């Protein structure tokens, strides 16, 4: 276990509820097949597309006004609609396999050799054709491709929650055989989106070979497979389905761009299979330059702030519109002060950290909802939330430094590591101990509270207290953003050979000692005054070097001074007992908060409190009261014993 190890929140989220689809009438399927045949597709391709379409009448109307997609060498005509997932298979010659293909010229095994590249099917229709030695070869390749894609590009969790969001590019492909008398089959393949359809098949438990050689050739089996899920939803209702069943229903259909025509450029002379390959290259080989993780976290940060500022049916907004603007960095310093916010950047950093990372499971779920709104990531990790908080914190810093990468990058990395401190989750959800101008809590009071926690043994081999944690967060901001970084990543700089502790470990060792608390307090004081960060003794006095100059704080100096050797976990005596008592009082506070949250649940939206109006089950109440009575008697016994000891001493 490392210092940064923590139990990750399991947050499946509400997920997407698809609209209730119905199995289309065979007459509608036949009408669509006729319309597709009239556009130049051969009979088998037209029937395969018609059978796969969720709403044939809608697609038939769209055929009268198709969309055009320019690719190198021509124009693809496409129609967007939804297809049954049981009708689409991955591209059997997926270019993603290029890095591991086995070529015959190099002596590769026949069983592993590549399939030939698809070519245009006979005629002028927008169809591909591939020749394989035997049906078994294609079946094995399809199943292998699915398993490999699921392993190398896992999308199951995301797709299970939201379904497939971006349309798949689907093209009909005719399969012919060299060494078998089997009749050719026409498959619907994903020219783009093999990873997504593979994740869908993985969730549904489908083998692509079953789709290709069973359901494609037997319409009754295909419709029976689709209908069993539709009937399950009709019979039980969405809310009665299990989480696994809901995930399967979400991926029963997929959005698709179906290629129904191709017009080559007159001068280019590009054939259909080359146009499809050009499209794949534009998507995967020559895509737009990625934004980068910093930009992505910026965008996620705005999405998270939107989520925290929006009330839901059962929960009020987590932050106010004014706080949202302050966290986003879109107000000036003067505007922030006029609205009652602290002028100090460390307070803003601590507020962002508390809001995005603290507050328990409820806040984490709100943050995760914001992340999912932009990425559809099913289970964002705590590290994701930390990175987003850090990017919001750094907005004013980057602006002041004009986004100088040599300055910003190392500081981003250290803040991301430092703010993985697990104790941050314990920060109170309502307010920091020291922050707003009018809360009456000074930095000196925060220092004194942290000194008291350190004297009680908090952090000595265990977790820091709330005041220690808040002071650590604020001091870290200045120790990292100072020109001379007084806190760096583990094993870096002058401490590389001597000290490989994590940033979290160094912070915990520092704030566990009285001198370290005083040092953190002086760091915050100096940072707020834009002064250099100096090393201080236990009384807060700057330490001078041999030549009489003040000693500036550095990472090596911090690691040497607070090396953690004297820090051992207190298991006996008053320090250990005080650490456990802090856990007791925190549990009582959590119980009080849980009672308030339960009392806020309305009978209906905008209605009165459910428990105040209808009460709660008496046996459950009685069971809880017995536990509380037992705890109350135990606490009373402790108090009586304390008074007895005090009287004896008197």
């Amino acid at each position: 276990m490392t210092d940064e190890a923590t139990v990750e929140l399991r947050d499946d989220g509400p997920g997407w509820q698809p609209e209730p689809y119905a199995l289309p009438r065979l007459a509608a399927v036949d009408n669509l097949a006729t319309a597709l045949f009239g556009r130049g597709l051969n009979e088998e391709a037209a029937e395969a597309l018609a059978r796969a379409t969720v709403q044939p009448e809608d697609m038939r109307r769209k055929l009268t006004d198709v969309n055009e997609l320019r690719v190198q060498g021509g124009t693809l005509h496409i129609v967007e609609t939804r297809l049954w997932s049981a009708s689409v298979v991955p591209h059997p010659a997926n270019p993603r396999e290029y890095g591991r293909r086995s070529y015959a010229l190099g002596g590769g095994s026949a069983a592993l050799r590549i399939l030939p590249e698809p070519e245009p099917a006979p005629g002028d229709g927008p169809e591909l054709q591939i020749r394989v030695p035997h049906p078994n070869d294609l079946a094995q390749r399809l199943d292998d491709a699915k398993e490999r894609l699921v392993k190398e590009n896992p999308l199951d969790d995301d797709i299970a929650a939201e379904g497939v969001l971006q349309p798949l590019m689907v093209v009909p492909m005719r399969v012919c055989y060299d060494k078998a008398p089997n009749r050719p089959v026409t498959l619907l393949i994903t020219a783009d989106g093999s990873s997504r359809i593979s994740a869908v098949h993985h969730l549904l438990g489908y083998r692509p070979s079953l789709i290709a050689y069973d359901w494609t050739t037997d319409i009754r089996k295909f419709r029976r497979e689709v209908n069993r899920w539709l009937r399950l939803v009709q019979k039980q209702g969405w809310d009665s389905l299990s989480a696994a069943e809901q995930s399967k229903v979400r991926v029963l259909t997929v959005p698709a761009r179906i290629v129904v025509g191709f017009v080559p450029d007159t001068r280019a002379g590009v054939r259909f299979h080359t146009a499809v390959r050009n499209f794949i290259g534009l998507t995967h080989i020559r895509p737009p330059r990625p934004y980068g993780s910093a930009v992505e976290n910026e965008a996620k940060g705005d999405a998270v702030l939107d989520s925290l500022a929006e009330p839901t049916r059962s929960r009020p907004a987590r932050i106010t519109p004014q706080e949202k603007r302050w966290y986003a960095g879109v107000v000036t310093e003067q505007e922030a002060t006029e609205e009652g916010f602290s002028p100090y950047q460390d307070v803003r950093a601590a507020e962002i950290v508390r809001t995005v990372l603290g507050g328990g499971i409820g806040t984490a779920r709100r943050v995760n909802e914001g992340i999912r709104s932009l990425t559809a990531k099913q289970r964002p990790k705590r590290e994701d939330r930390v990175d987003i908080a850090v990017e919001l914190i750094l907005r004013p810093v980057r602006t002041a430094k004009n986004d100088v990468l040599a300055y910003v990058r190392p500081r981003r990395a250290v803040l991301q590591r430092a703010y993985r401190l697990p104790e941050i989750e314990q920060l109170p959800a309502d307010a920091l101990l020291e922050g707003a101008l009018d809360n009456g809590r000074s930095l000196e009071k925060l220092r004194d509270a942290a000194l008291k926690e350190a004297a009680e043994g908090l952090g000595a081999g265990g977790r820091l207290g709330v005041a220690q944690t808040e002071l650590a967060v604020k001091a870290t901001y200045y120790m990292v953003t100072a020109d001379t970084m007084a806190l760096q990543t583990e094993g870096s700089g002058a401490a590389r050979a001597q000290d490989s502790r994590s940033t979290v470990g160094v912070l915990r060792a520092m704030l566990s000692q009285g001198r370290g608390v005083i040092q953190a307090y002086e760091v915050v004081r100096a940072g707020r005054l834009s002064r250099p960060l100096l090393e201080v003794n236990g009384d807060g006095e700057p330490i001078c070097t041999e030549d009489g100059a003040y000693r500036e704080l550095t990472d090596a100096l911090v690691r040497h001074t607070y090396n953690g050797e004297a820090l051992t976990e207190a298991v006996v005596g008053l320090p250990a007992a005080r650490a456990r008592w802090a856990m007791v009082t925190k549990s009582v506070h959590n119980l009080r908060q849980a009672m308030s949250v339960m009392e806020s649940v309305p009978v209906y939206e905008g209605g009165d409190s459910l428990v105040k109006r209808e009460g709660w089950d008496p046996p459950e109440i009685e069971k809880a009261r017995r536990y509380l009575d037992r705890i109350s008697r135990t606490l009373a016994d402790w108090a009586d014993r304390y008074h007895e000891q005090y009287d004896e001493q008197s």
Side-chain angles (χ1 to χ4, degrees):
M1 295 286 289
T2 66
D3 289 316
E4 290 142 11
T6 184
V7 177
E8 182 55 44
L9 168 72
R10 179 177 178 83
D11 179 21
D12 294 335
W16 168 60
Q17 180 178 345
E19 63 178 277
Y21 296 111
L23 201 62
R25 296 177 295 107
L26 287 175
V29 173
D30 292 340
N31 291 338
L32 176 57
T34 301
L36 289 167
F37 183 74
R39 285 197 59 89
L41 281 82
N42 67 39
E43 185 176 351
E44 291 80 7
E47 290 177 354
L49 282 172
R51 182 170 60 246
T53 304
V54 176
Q55 296 175 307
E57 296 94 340
D58 179 66
M59 182 174 173
R60 189 154 58 91
R61 287 192 295 269
K62 290 179 178 179
L63 286 174
T64 61
D65 186 20
V66 298
N67 297 323
E68 295 184 352
L69 179 64
R70 279 276 298 122
V71 295
Q72 186 177 355
T75 302
L76 299 174
H77 290 173
I78 61 173
V79 172
E80 292 199 12
T81 188
R82 297 194 76 86
L83 301 180
W84 301 111
S85 302
S87 64
V88 184
V89 297
H91 195 323
N94 189 352
R96 195 179 287 273
E97 297 180 314
Y98 272 119
R100 63 180 60 81
R101 286 184 172 183
S102 179
Y103 292 91
L105 188 61
S109 170
L112 300 175
R113 289 176 190 165
I114 62 172
L115 295 178
E117 289 295 321
E119 297 181 348
D124 297 326
E127 304 152 51
L128 298 174
Q129 177 173 295
I130 190 171
R131 298 196 67 87
V132 298
H134 191 275
N136 292 343
D137 295 307
L138 181 63
Q140 185 66 43
R141 175 52 59 89
L142 288 172
D143 290 344
D144 288 347
K146 174 220 165 184
E147 294 302 323
R148 186 180 301 111
L149 289 168
V150 167
K151 181 179 180 180
E152 295 183 357
N153 193 17
L155 303 172
D156 302 34
D157 288 345
D158 301 345
I159 289 178
E162 298 293 340
V164 175
L165 298 177
Q166 294 299 317
L168 313 175
M169 180 67 77
V170 174
V171 181
M173 186 177 74
R174 178 183 175 93
V175 183
C176 303
Y177 310 104
D178 294 330
K179 302 176 183 178
N182 301 61
R183 178 185 175 186
V185 297
T186 297
L187 307 179
L188 302 182
I189 69 163
T190 52
D192 171 55
S194 292
S195 296
R196 282 170 281 164
I197 196 62
S198 295
V200 167
H201 291 166
H202 185 65
L203 289 168
L204 290 166
Y206 292 168
R207 288 184 293 110
S209 60
L210 180 68
I211 296 174
Y213 289 112
D214 201 352
W215 295 341
T216 295
T217 57
D218 192 330
I219 190 172
R220 289 180 298 179
K221 289 183 179 180
F222 165 74
R223 289 173 67 89
R224 191 184 308 128
E225 168 61 23
V226 171
N227 202 38
R228 74 183 180 99
W229 291 107
L230 299 178
R231 292 178 63 184
L232 180 66
V233 179
Q234 293 171 354
K235 181 180 179 180
Q236 296 186 199
W238 176 260
D239 293 332
S240 298
L241 299 178
S242 68
E245 289 170 338
Q246 289 181 348
S247 297
K248 294 179 189 296
V249 174
R250 290 187 186 109
V251 298
L252 192 61
T253 68
V254 291
R257 289 175 168 179
I258 302 174
V259 180
V260 296
F262 172 62
V263 179
D265 289 347
T266 307
R267 296 182 179 180
V270 170
R271 303 172 70 193
F272 178 63
H273 74 297
T274 304
V276 172
R277 189 169 59 208
N278 289 344
F279 171 78
I280 297 174
L282 185 64
T283 305
H284 294 287
I285 301 174
R286 293 177 295 168
R289 183 179 179 181
Y291 287 146
S293 59
V295 178
E296 292 175 4
N297 287 328
E298 279 259 59
K300 293 175 188 175
D302 286 329
V304 164
L305 294 181
D306 286 340
S307 177
L308 292 171
E310 289 294 328
T312 66
R313 288 183 297 178
S314 59
R315 292 172 293 179
R318 179 71 176 79
I319 60 176
T320 65
Q322 293 79 11
E323 287 174 323
K324 175 184 172 182
R325 297 173 67 234
W326 187 42
Y327 296 160
V330 297
V331 296
T332 65
E333 290 184 3
Q334 181 178 350
E335 290 171 339
T337 303
E338 290 173 352
E339 292 179 357
F341 297 121
S342 172
Y344 303 125
Q345 290 297 330
D346 67 286
V347 175
R348 176 179 174 273
E351 287 283 5
I352 291 174
V353 164
R354 174 187 65 86
T355 301
V356 177
L357 305 178
I361 293 177
T363 299
R365 283 179 174 160
R366 294 286 287 265
V367 174
N368 286 354
E369 288 170 8
I371 298 173
R372 279 196 295 267
S373 71
L374 198 63
T375 67
K377 189 170 186 177
Q378 167 67 344
R379 293 184 187 134
K381 298 181 179 179
R382 187 171 186 270
E383 288 76 8
D384 298 323
R385 299 191 288 275
V386 171
D387 293 351
I388 289 169
V390 168
E391 215 57 48
L392 291 172
I393 291 169
L394 285 176
R395 285 183 175 182
V397 177
R398 291 203 324 271
T399 301
K401 292 294 182 178
N402 293 320
D403 208 7
V404 180
L405 294 180
Y407 179 92
V408 174
R409 279 181 176 172
R411 287 160 175 80
R412 175 186 291 119
V414 180
L415 284 177
Q416 288 173 345
R417 290 173 182 257
Y419 288 158
R420 290 178 187 172
L421 184 70
E423 288 91 322
I424 286 174
E425 296 179 352
Q426 299 175 358
L427 290 175
D430 48 358
L432 293 172
L433 300 179
E434 183 262 339
L437 294 175
D438 57 353
N439 68 358
R441 303 182 180 110
S442 65
L443 181 62
E444 287 68 31
K445 289 185 178 180
L446 176 63
R447 174 202 60 195
D448 294 343
L451 284 171
K452 182 180 179 182
E453 291 174 343
E456 293 172 352
L458 293 183
R463 291 199 166 197
L464 299 172
V466 172
Q468 290 169 302
T469 302
E470 181 178 326
L471 188 56
V473 170
K474 292 177 176 178
T476 294
Y477 174 82
Y478 292 118
M479 292 169 72
V480 173
T481 57
D483 286 334
T484 301
M485 294 175 66
L487 193 64
Q488 297 182 28
T489 56
E490 53 267 32
S492 62
R496 180 182 302 275
Q498 294 82 14
D499 190 351
S500 60
R501 285 177 298 162
S502 69
T503 310
V504 164
V506 175
L507 278 174
R508 190 175 286 147
M510 178 179 174
L511 271 297
S512 298
Q513 301 181 30
R515 179 183 173 184
V517 171
I518 296 296
Q519 179 69 76
Y521 161 75
E522 292 295 340
V523 163
V524 175
R525 277 214 320 148
R528 292 180 180 181
L529 296 173
S530 300
R531 294 176 178 173
L533 309 185
L534 305 177
E535 184 189 13
V536 299
N537 59 24
D539 296 325
E541 298 296 329
I543 296 178
C544 296
T545 61
E546 293 180 356
D547 57 1
Y550 290 134
R551 183 179 295 166
E552 193 166 349
L553 207 60
T554 63
D555 177 72
L557 189 58
V558 170
R559 288 177 177 272
H560 174 74
T561 305
Y562 308 102
N563 55 27
E565 292 178 358
L567 298 177
T568 58
E569 183 176 7
V571 295
V572 297
L574 187 59
R578 286 191 180 278
R580 294 348 178 239
W581 177 251
M583 297 172 60
V584 173
T585 55
K586 184 176 185 298
S587 298
V588 173
H589 176 71
N590 290 341
L591 175 61
R592 188 180 66 213
Q593 283 191 323
M595 293 281 291
S596 299
V597 171
M598 183 171 180
E599 197 173 63
S600 67
V601 176
V603 178
Y604 51 83
E605 186 171 353
D608 297 328
S609 167
L610 187 148
V611 291
K612 284 187 175 180
R613 176 174 169 178
E614 300 181 9
W616 200 250
D617 184 39
E620 293 187 18
I621 293 289
E622 184 60 29
K623 182 178 179 181
R625 291 187 63 184
R626 284 199 302 270
Y627 283 129
L628 293 175
D629 288 343
R630 193 177 307 159
I631 293 171
S632 178
R633 288 195 299 271
T634 301
L635 293 175
D637 290 341
W638 291 357
D640 291 340
R641 184 57 182 160
Y642 181 89
H643 287 302
E644 291 174 5
Q645 293 288 335
Y646 181 81
D647 291 340
E648 290 175 4
Q649 292 174 5
S650 299

